[in-house]
Amino acid sequence: MTRLVAVATASLLAFSLGACTSGTTGGGAATACNVGITMPTRSLERWINDGEQLQSKLKAAGCTVDLQYADNKVDQQISQIQNQIAGGAKILVIASIDGTALGPVLAEAAKQSIKVIAYDRLINGSPNVDYYATFDNYKVGNLQGTFLKEQLKLDSATTPINFEPFAGSPDDNNAKFFFSGAWDVLLPYVTKGTLVVPSGKAPKSNDEWTTIGIQGWASDKSQAEMDNRLSSFYSGGKKVQAVLSPNDSLAIGIEASLKSAGYKVGSDWPLITGQDGDKANVKAILAGEQSMTVWKDTRKLGDRVFTMIQQIVKGEKVEVNDEKSYNNGVKVVPSYLIEPEVVTKDLVQSKLIDSGFLKASDVGL
Ligand code: BGC
């Protein structure tokens, strides 16, 4: 009898899941494809785009979607996830704020057989993370490091170059990967003395990255840190010539600091890296205030997560392309990694505008 009920329930479920992905409407469809999305903050353009794009794709496919932003507050994100579980979500898509803080709430989700996709940032210390979809985070940092190495011609440089590195938020698992990718390229030149770090804030190894991390990826904090470094270590006409900024929000703060210290584009402005392709930063790239951004086409990430959801809903095997890089401390989380790309001034039109990622008018073109 129990077996019969189980079989009947399973086939009902299969029917409703199938109905959802094929886009047909029907009583069971909405319940089966019921997705809770939690994003860290509205303060960064990319998360707004990420959340809205995924939500509209899912809604167009007939799914029920709840999208929440947590103002970078961990407790708020946890209660949003609790509400989504209580509200009947069958799949959770989570871009975590603190990747180590979600164990208990995911244990609740697991009790109800809810599938969990870590979005962009890995969730650590929990067995209840089914999949991870992200960009190749190590490669993001590697592209930044390689860009600086090539632009500064580090292999043939004959005079030491003043350089200041920054790292991302200590609670964000991605920040470690960004830093490692860049530091694997740059640390040998710091060790050789080709790159000199007047502030002394040069981690001796990749593992020490949190010593230069900027909490919450906040622009005002990177600005204050850069102000501090410039006023304390750059007296007597010494100039910073290159800055490793792991993303665009930190770059904005660093650029504001350089402006207030009197640096001028075209004379003594340093090389500055970034990541995301935010509008303000693309404007800065066009104005010569930022040298590059590592562009992550968030539409591709949304498409990938949409595909994962469809595969989960249909009961198919979920496609991944990396089953070794992302160990969350409990298990290696099957991942799908997307390739990031470098965008410099001359590539803004062809990469960002022609692809429809930004409008020309967004960046004053
Ligand atoms: C994301 C970056 C973003 C940063 C700050 C990281 O986890 O991968 O794209 O710039 O968080 O929100």
Side-chain angles (χ1 to χ4, degrees):
M1 181 61 195
T2 324
R3 242 240 226 80
L4 262 181
V5 172
V7 170
T9 318
S11 43
L12 255 180
L13 196 64
F15 170 76
S16 56
L17 297 178
C20 168
T21 44
S22 63
T24 53
T25 50
T31 329
C33 190
N34 188 334
V35 184
I37 308 173
T38 38
M39 293 276 147
T41 170
R42 281 188 183 281
S43 71
L44 236 79
E45 219 168 276
R46 72 151 293 186
W47 299 119
I48 299 178
N49 296 338
D50 281 82
E52 288 175 358
Q53 276 159 19
L54 182 57
Q55 169 171 250
S56 65
K57 272 196 97 119
L58 288 167
K59 281 194 170 165
C63 299
T64 299
V65 188
D66 179 56
L67 168 63
Q68 299 292 333
Y69 287 84
D71 197 21
N72 267 339
K73 297 199 175 76
V74 178
D75 289 349
Q76 199 176 325
Q77 186 167 60
I78 292 172
S79 62
Q80 288 170 342
I81 297 170
Q82 279 164 340
N83 289 341
Q84 290 175 339
I85 296 173
K90 295 281 177 270
I91 299 168
L92 295 173
V93 176
I94 305 171
S96 59
I97 296 164
D98 180 339
T100 61
L102 301 180
V105 73
L106 294 193
E108 280 175 47
K111 277 192 215 140
Q112 318 213 15
S113 309
I114 295 171
K115 292 283 181 206
V116 174
I117 302 174
Y119 185 99
D120 195 85
R121 298 172 172 174
L122 185 60
I123 297 168
N124 281 312
S126 168
N128 303 311
V129 187
D130 297 285
Y131 305 102
Y132 180 35
T134 190
F135 289 86
D136 185 336
N137 295 307
Y138 180 86
K139 175 110 187 253
V140 169
N142 214 253
L143 290 172
Q144 294 166 338
T146 305
F147 178 87
L148 291 178
K149 174 185 155 177
E150 286 171 359
Q151 295 294 308
L152 295 166
K153 302 193 172 53
L154 292 181
D155 283 328
S156 55
T158 48
T159 46
I161 293 161
N162 292 330
F163 164 65
E164 294 295 333
F166 284 70
S169 191
D171 53 7
D172 180 349
N173 190 64
N174 285 355
K176 174 179 75 189
F177 282 84
F178 300 149
F179 189 75
S180 298
W183 218 227
D184 281 347
V185 179
L186 299 173
L187 181 59
Y189 297 98
V190 176
T191 309
K192 264 194 270 177
T194 318
L195 290 172
V196 173
V197 182
S199 68
K201 298 194 174 182
K204 301 252 174 321
S205 71
N206 294 358
D207 292 342
E208 289 174 33
W209 69 275
T210 53
T211 57
I212 56 162
I214 300 289
Q215 187 62 41
W217 295 96
S219 306
D220 58 346
K221 294 204 172 90
S222 64
Q223 183 171 353
E225 171 64 18
M226 191 65 183
D227 285 350
N228 219 339
R229 294 195 199 182
L230 291 176
S231 62
S232 311
F233 304 101
Y234 286 82
S235 55
K238 192 185 277 186
K239 298 283 178 185
V240 61
Q241 294 161 281
V243 182
L244 172 69
S245 167
N247 88 333
D248 281 355
S249 62
L250 263 56
I252 285 290
I254 294 162
E255 289 154 19
S257 172
L258 288 162
K259 268 187 209 163
S260 62
Y263 282 79
K264 295 267 176 311
V265 171
S267 65
D268 54 2
W269 196 268
L271 291 173
I272 306 172
T273 58
Q275 163 185 198
D276 287 336
D278 282 353
K279 287 175 199 155
N281 298 75
V282 175
K283 283 187 185 159
I285 289 175
L286 295 171
E289 291 166 3
Q290 187 170 317
S291 317
M292 58 92 89
T293 190
V294 177
W295 177 41
K296 305 194 298 191
D297 189 342
T298 47
R299 295 169 300 184
K300 290 188 187 161
L301 182 55
D303 287 351
R304 174 48 51 189
V305 172
F306 179 72
T307 303
M308 283 181 162
I309 292 173
Q310 283 185 308
Q311 289 167 337
I312 292 170
V313 158
K314 285 185 192 157
E316 290 173 354
K317 190 169 165 26
V318 172
E319 191 188 346
V320 294
N321 64 8
D322 184 296
E323 296 194 70
K324 62 175 191 339
S325 305
Y326 288 95
N327 187 326
N328 79 348
V330 177
K331 66 190 250 196
V332 174
V333 182
S335 306
Y336 197 103
L337 308 188
I338 301 167
E339 286 294 293
E341 298 180 56
V342 169
V343 171
T344 47
K345 195 174 187 171
D346 52 326
L347 294 172
V348 167
Q349 180 70 42
S350 61
K351 298 273 182 197
L352 303 182
I353 314 284
D354 293 350
S355 73
F357 183 76
L358 293 178
K359 293 207 257 334
S361 58
D362 288 339
V363 294
L365 282 176

